[in-house]
Amino acid sequence: QVQLQESGGGLVQPGGSLRLSCTGSGNFFSFYDMGWFRQTPGSEREMVATITRRGITNYAESVKGRFTISRDNAEKAVYLQMNALNPEDTAVYSCNAGQDVNGKYYQTDYWGQGTQVTVSS
């Protein structure tokens, strides 16, 4: 079991950067894969980036080369460094604890409340 809380969202100009943080509580944080997801009105929630409990990462094609996910199990935290942001990145970003099954990420019901990222000129 884990409880999650995101922070770091805000308003940024196109081409700018933001660093999102997700901190967890509970004794089993390190057992989970972790992921960042985002959603805009009228769209499906999409995977942005995931990181396994061993540190293997996976990215959506749309953010590859611009975003970096990392984790610090000692601090029970996962981060998303976002560079070269564009208006299409505007969304509510949420972190999720995932079950790792043969290297594949499966969502659980453990979500943070989300943090708003707005990219606009």
Side-chain angles (χ1 to χ4, degrees):
Q1 295 120 10
V2 61
Q3 297 180 16
L4 305 172
Q5 178 64 58
E6 304 93 340
S7 63
L11 175 64
V12 65
Q13 296 287 316
S17 298
L18 284 174
R19 183 175 184 257
L20 305 183
S21 299
C22 174
T23 57
S25 63
N27 295 326
F28 303 102
F29 181 89
S30 63
F31 291 160
Y32 291 95
D33 291 357
M34 297 296 299
W36 284 99
F37 296 75
R38 67 187 182 186
Q39 187 171 25
T40 57
S43 67
E44 297 286 332
R45 182 165 54 198
E46 65 173 341
M47 186 274 289
V48 177
T50 62
I51 183 168
T52 73
R53 51 190 173 182
R54 295 296 191 97
I56 300 172
T57 59
N58 187 40
Y59 297 93
E61 186 66 28
S62 61
V63 308
K64 208 165 190 176
R66 300 188 297 122
F67 292 8
T68 302
I69 188 172
S70 61
R71 69 188 295 165
D72 186 339
N73 288 338
E75 297 294 326
K76 298 180 180 179
V78 61
Y79 308 98
L80 186 68
Q81 178 66 47
M82 305 184 295
N83 299 324
L85 287 161
N86 58 63
E88 289 70 37
D89 296 316
T90 296
V92 174
Y93 286 71
S94 302
C95 62
N96 176 255
Q99 294 285 341
D100 188 314
V101 181
N102 294 326
K104 290 181 168 56
Y105 188 100
Y106 288 86
Q107 295 176 27
T108 71
D109 292 330
Y110 299 122
W111 293 92
Q113 294 300 306
T115 185
Q116 176 71 48
V117 171
T118 302
V119 185
S120 177
S121 60

